Amino acid sequence: MDMQNFKTREKAAMAEPKIIARDVNVYYGQSQALKSIELDIAANEVTALIGPSGCGKSTFLRCINRMNDVIESCRVEGRITLEGIDIYNSGLDPVLLRARVGMVFQKPNPFPKSIYDNIAYGPRLHGIASGKDELEATVESSLRRAGLWEEVKDRLDSPGTGLSGGQQQRLCIARAIAVNPEVILMDEPCSALDPIATAKIEELIDELRENFTIVIVTHSMQQAARVSQKTAFFHLGELVEVGETDKLFTSPEDQRTQGYITGRFG
Amino acid sequence: MEQLALFFALIFLIILGYILGKGRAVALSGHAYHPLHSRLPYYGLYTAIWCGLPSLLLMAGWMAFEPAIAEAIVSSKLSASNQNLTSDQITLYVNDVINLASGGIISREVNNDLQAATDSYIFFRQISYFAMAVVAISLSLGGLFSSLKSISPDLRARNKVEKIISVVMMACSTIAILTTVGIVFSLIFETLRFFNKVPLTEFLFGLHWSPQTALRTDQVGGSGSFGAVPLFAGTMLITFISMVVAVPVGLMSAIYMSEYAGKKFRAFAKPLLEILAGIPTVVYGFFAALTVAPFFRNSGEFFGLDVSSESALAAGMVMGIMIIPFISSLSDDVMNSVPQSLRDASYAMGATKSETITKVILPAALPGIVGAVLLAMSRAIGETMIVVMAAGLAANLTANPLEAVTTVTVQIVTLLVGDQEFDSAKTLAAFALGLLLFIVTLAMNIVALKVVRKYREKYD
């Protein structure tokens, strides 16, 4: 009995969402981009954010690692917690936050440095690896986890910008996981890639779920259905509906979701 | 005045050609069963070009060669009638004829011979002018009518007009190249004459510069020594000082401008910084000679140092200030062109702003920054006015920035200023110095352009 009790409690603790957003409002100057967003993101799951262009899904994604701080006119209100710590109002340094919450962008953006230096960038910044051997091991394991090791192991010194688009994007994923973050944010990571490279990335996302919490913004509903466990539908700055991916795509509760997934708008 | 009238007549014909050509095309387009090849304005342009271009080219050629021909005619007449004149005397006489014709002051009394020669010269010029006017106008009219006649729905007017325009643009771009070639050749011939008098090895490796030579054969003067090493050493010293000032200041201000400064401050400060580039160098020269140099001298005295009142330090510092905007403005542009996505990538990895700048932006922008520095450096090497006023004339071979040194450009100026015999080694030395300086700065510009081009290929 006690044992069972403990187990359920542990399960409850595990079910405690990794990221909790409460009443998040975002403004760009005068215009409001996000309206009172309430969203829980579970650990070790892939959460997809879908919705038509300009609906605020990328804005929300960039709130989670405070990338919106860079934009001068942007103002964020509300509460976003990462494992219970308020990332905006608890004096948490955005630099430390971003070491825990990595990000992969829409367009592959490797640094104009060698493949090795691209991966080693984060570990060097945060002093994760002590010594050359450890750094090399970190680079290798990151590239292996991103499924890129076999393709680049003989040319780690050649520039990262010389890889193909899909390889560049996997390089960016490897770069992000090299600092061992807890969460990886992906902003339409496949929109600049061909179908084969896309399939590889999607496969990779599924593998990464084991160790990371992943939030992915995507335009493709097929992609959301393929890779995610939870899906959140944004429309005109509002979070319309969130739920299990299977359920959201088969029996949406909201008319607007229904309209979007059946292709009536967006 | 008459030339101007002819010019306006041609302009009128060109406009007329455009209107008529277009009008003819409009008339043709009325027959809708056979559509025109090009859009209407091209037919107008086609006619206008045929109307204007040949006669303008003819006029340009005529004006370029006609005075020489007129001169040749006068001098050939003269040498036919006066066998005993030397060629120099004939040249002088012809000059007098031309001056008299234009109402200028001449060096001899006006006698009947001269008046007759002048009259025939004026007569020839008038005849030739009328001939040119007639030929130009008839060429223009001929072009107008033949091109009007050739306008048909099948005429590929657009292709022809574009072809002509591309040829004209090519000719314009050749002008810059030809000018460079011309400059080089004008330097080369005088330089070769200089090296007939002074051996190349002395010029390149001589450690002593003292270009005093006797002006006349009966004059006692220095035999002159033409070792260019002290001049180039002085140039390098001053350039080095100016780069020590300009590179850190320019780079730091560029980093501040592109990465830290707010929009408002940037909009206000960047043009202000660029004003520095617009200050005439003479004004910098005043500043160096009257403010900075005495200041260094006085503060040097305070510390018991012997500072010359015209020091390399003062000239170099002021020159450094002058080239700050080159470095800061170009580097700022280069850093701004580093894609935002790279900054985002660095921030998203948890890098701070300064880490992002030193580890991502500066390395990515480095080739462009190197290019900017090299361009600024060749500018500093070629700079003349500040060093003339503030660096002095003494050709000391020294590395001490507190002493007076002189530069290549300063020596070129002093060699050529004033009354000089144009074939003395002293004067010709200026051309040799100029050529060597040209080669040095050209090499640096080529390197800079190569570096900048390599950078441009980097993203995309």
Side-chain angles (χ1 to χ4, degrees):
Chain A
M1 189 67 189
D2 265 350
M3 194 64 195
Q4 214 173 0
N5 205 354
F6 177 73
K7 268 193 174 168
T8 42
R9 233 189 297 156
E10 191 187 50
K11 215 177 173 187
M14 272 186 70
E16 175 79 10
K18 185 86 176 171
I19 298 164
I20 302 171
R22 288 291 174 267
D23 196 22
V24 175
N25 291 289
V26 178
Y27 304 86
Y28 289 115
Q30 293 298 315
S31 66
Q32 189 168 7
L34 285 179
K35 294 168 192 162
S36 188
I37 304 297
E38 312 252 334
L39 181 62
D40 294 351
I41 292 165
N44 297 88
E45 272 191 357
V46 178
T47 305
L49 312 182
I50 61 167
S53 297
C55 67
K57 55 194 190 302
S58 286
T59 301
F60 179 73
L61 191 77
R62 292 166 68 93
C63 286
I64 301 174
N65 67 344
R66 295 187 62 174
M67 279 300 279
N68 284 330
D69 290 16
V70 183
I71 301 163
E72 264 174 55
S73 63
C74 183
R75 190 157 51 87
V76 180
E77 285 171 2
R79 235 172 97 85
I80 299 177
T81 59
L82 173 67
E83 289 190 334
I85 304 163
D86 188 336
I87 63 171
Y88 276 93
N89 300 314
S90 62
L92 179 68
D93 192 337
V95 167
L96 296 178
L97 171 71
R98 288 176 198 148
R100 290 174 65 188
V101 183
M103 189 163 191
V104 176
F105 294 84
Q106 185 169 4
K107 204 178 149 223
N109 54 357
F111 298 125
K113 301 171 185 282
S114 71
I115 292 171
Y116 184 93
D117 287 339
N118 261 289
I119 309 294
Y121 184 78
R124 278 177 181 149
L125 276 183
H126 298 292
I128 287 172
S130 57
K132 200 163 165 274
D133 295 341
E134 207 174 316
L135 188 62
E136 268 173 26
T138 308
V139 170
E140 184 181 334
S141 72
S142 307
L143 283 169
R144 277 189 193 285
R145 284 159 92 181
L148 195 60
W149 175 253
E150 291 301 323
E151 290 160 62
V152 301
K153 63 181 176 188
D154 299 322
R155 47 172 175 152
L156 292 176
D157 290 331
S158 54
T161 41
L163 297 172
S164 74
Q167 288 174 325
Q168 286 190 17
Q169 195 60 297
R170 277 181 285 151
L171 181 70
C172 292
I173 293 173
R175 183 176 66 189
I177 60 185
V179 290
N180 232 343
E182 299 154 37
V183 182
I184 300 176
L185 309 175
M186 295 187 174
D187 192 355
E188 298 180 34
C190 301
S191 62
L193 305 180
D194 64 73
I196 293 168
T198 302
K200 275 193 177 161
I201 302 261
E202 285 178 4
E203 208 176 300
L204 176 61
I205 291 171
D206 205 45
E207 285 167 22
L208 291 175
R209 178 163 68 94
E210 214 171 287
N211 297 306
F212 305 97
T213 303
I214 293 172
V215 186
I216 179 171
V217 165
T218 178
H219 262 307
S220 148
M221 281 170 280
Q222 290 87 339
Q223 184 170 61
R226 280 193 300 263
V227 300
S228 70
Q229 284 74 51
K230 293 249 170 58
T231 298
F233 172 63
F234 283 72
H235 184 53
L236 299 174
E238 284 175 55
L239 175 60
V240 175
E241 187 171 349
V242 57
E244 301 284 334
T245 300
D246 297 339
K247 192 170 159 285
L248 188 119
F249 278 109
T250 48
S251 51
E253 282 167 12
D254 196 285
Q255 277 297 312
R256 288 170 288 179
T257 319
Q258 171 101 43
Y260 183 68
I261 61 176
T262 52
R264 244 179 287 148
F265 67 90
Chain B
M1 209 55 227
E2 287 156 328
Q3 264 101 343
L4 213 60
L6 180 58
F7 183 70
F8 279 118
L10 273 180
I11 296 279
F12 171 75
L13 277 175
I14 289 169
I15 295 170
L16 187 73
Y18 181 83
I19 294 167
L20 287 179
K22 198 174 164 185
R24 174 130 176 84
V26 170
L28 280 173
S29 70
H31 307 284
Y33 53 87
H34 197 152
L36 292 174
H37 169 267
S38 310
R39 288 193 302 116
L40 293 175
Y42 285 107
Y43 293 94
L45 280 176
Y46 174 74
T47 320
I49 285 171
W50 272 113
C51 192
L53 199 61
S55 47
L56 282 177
L57 284 178
L58 174 95
M59 276 169 70
W62 200 298
M63 282 172 180
F65 292 113
E66 190 250 17
I69 295 170
E71 252 184 76
I73 289 173
V74 173
S75 65
S76 70
K77 267 186 194 163
L78 198 65
S79 54
S81 57
N82 278 319
Q83 301 287 348
N84 52 351
L85 284 176
T86 66
S87 64
D88 283 352
Q89 282 170 316
I90 289 178
T91 315
L92 274 177
Y93 194 85
V94 171
N95 270 335
D96 281 340
V97 168
I98 292 169
N99 281 339
L100 190 64
S102 58
I105 298 162
I106 62 166
S107 61
R108 71 189 75 205
E109 272 188 33
V110 183
N111 56 23
N112 283 344
D113 271 4
L114 184 60
Q115 194 60 57
T118 308
D119 287 345
S120 75
Y121 174 76
I122 293 174
F123 181 66
F124 174 79
R125 291 296 300 264
Q126 275 174 348
I127 291 285
S128 110
Y129 171 72
F130 282 118
M132 177 179 79
V134 169
V135 174
I137 297 281
S138 51
L139 204 60
S140 200
L141 286 174
L144 176 64
F145 287 121
S146 70
S147 59
L148 270 183
K149 217 177 150 191
S150 72
I151 288 180
S152 71
D154 291 330
L155 179 73
R156 299 165 72 82
R158 175 170 53 80
N159 308 41
K160 289 190 174 177
V161 167
E162 280 169 356
K163 177 88 190 158
I164 291 168
I165 288 174
S166 78
V167 168
V168 168
M169 287 191 288
M170 197 187 74
C172 290
S173 64
T174 331
I175 287 176
I177 299 167
L178 287 181
T179 314
T180 314
V181 173
I183 290 172
V184 171
F185 273 99
S186 74
L187 285 174
I188 281 179
F189 289 120
E190 305 299 329
T191 305
L192 287 179
R193 283 172 68 195
F194 172 72
F195 287 129
N196 282 335
K197 293 171 194 280
V198 176
L200 180 65
T201 46
E202 187 199 325
F203 179 71
L204 286 183
F205 304 113
L207 298 181
H208 194 61
W209 176 266
S210 147
Q212 301 316 319
T213 50
L215 272 180
R216 298 187 305 273
T217 41
D218 59 331
Q219 202 177 27
V220 182
S223 60
S225 51
F226 294 95
V229 171
L231 306 189
F232 278 90
T235 303
M236 290 304 155
L237 178 63
I238 289 182
T239 305
F240 175 75
I241 295 169
S242 69
M243 296 319 275
V244 166
V245 174
V247 171
V249 177
L251 210 52
M252 294 285 183
S253 73
I255 291 173
Y256 181 73
M257 288 284 174
S258 80
E259 303 301 322
Y260 289 98
K263 264 194 194 129
K264 273 185 194 158
F265 180 80
R266 193 181 139 85
F268 159 79
K270 209 183 173 204
L272 209 62
L273 200 64
E274 278 162 4
I275 285 178
L276 273 182
I279 297 176
T281 52
V282 173
V283 177
Y284 278 110
F286 290 143
F287 178 59
L290 300 180
T291 312
V292 179
F295 170 74
F296 282 141
R297 196 171 130 84
N298 294 340
S299 31
E301 266 170 10
F302 181 77
F303 292 108
L305 286 169
D306 185 24
V307 183
S308 154
S309 57
E310 292 179 318
S311 63
L313 189 62
M317 293 275 280
V318 173
M319 201 193 279
I321 292 167
M322 184 195 80
I323 57 180
I324 285 172
F326 287 85
I327 294 181
S328 71
S329 194
L330 284 172
S331 308
D332 179 32
D333 291 345
V334 173
M335 280 191 265
N336 267 331
S337 69
V338 173
Q340 180 63 32
S341 66
L342 290 186
R343 287 163 228 255
D344 283 348
S346 178
Y347 291 139
M349 296 296 300
T352 62
K353 196 158 200 167
S354 63
E355 283 165 341
T356 302
I357 291 167
T358 52
K359 296 206 166 83
V360 174
I361 294 170
L362 281 183
L366 191 66
I369 292 171
V370 170
V373 169
L374 283 176
L375 283 178
M377 204 157 143
S378 57
R379 169 87 203 215
I381 290 176
E383 169 52 38
T384 313
M385 227 41 235
I386 294 174
V387 277
V388 165
M389 295 171 86
L393 294 172
N396 295 323
L397 183 56
T398 175
N400 180 358
L402 304 178
E403 272 185 61
V405 294
T406 191
T407 69
V408 178
T409 50
V410 170
Q411 286 307 312
I412 292 175
V413 169
T414 50
L415 290 173
L416 292 181
V417 164
D419 288 335
Q420 303 285 357
E421 201 182 359
F422 228 73
D423 53 358
S424 71
K426 184 181 170 186
T427 318
L428 291 173
F431 293 97
L433 286 177
L435 184 66
L436 196 54
L437 194 63
F438 179 79
I439 291 170
V440 170
T441 48
L442 186 72
M444 287 183 57
N445 273 326
I446 288 173
V447 172
L449 283 178
K450 274 247 161 83
V451 170
V452 171
R453 194 169 302 156
K454 198 178 162 197
Y455 166 73
R456 288 220 173 105
E457 290 168 353
K458 204 128 193 178
Y459 324 101
D460 351 276

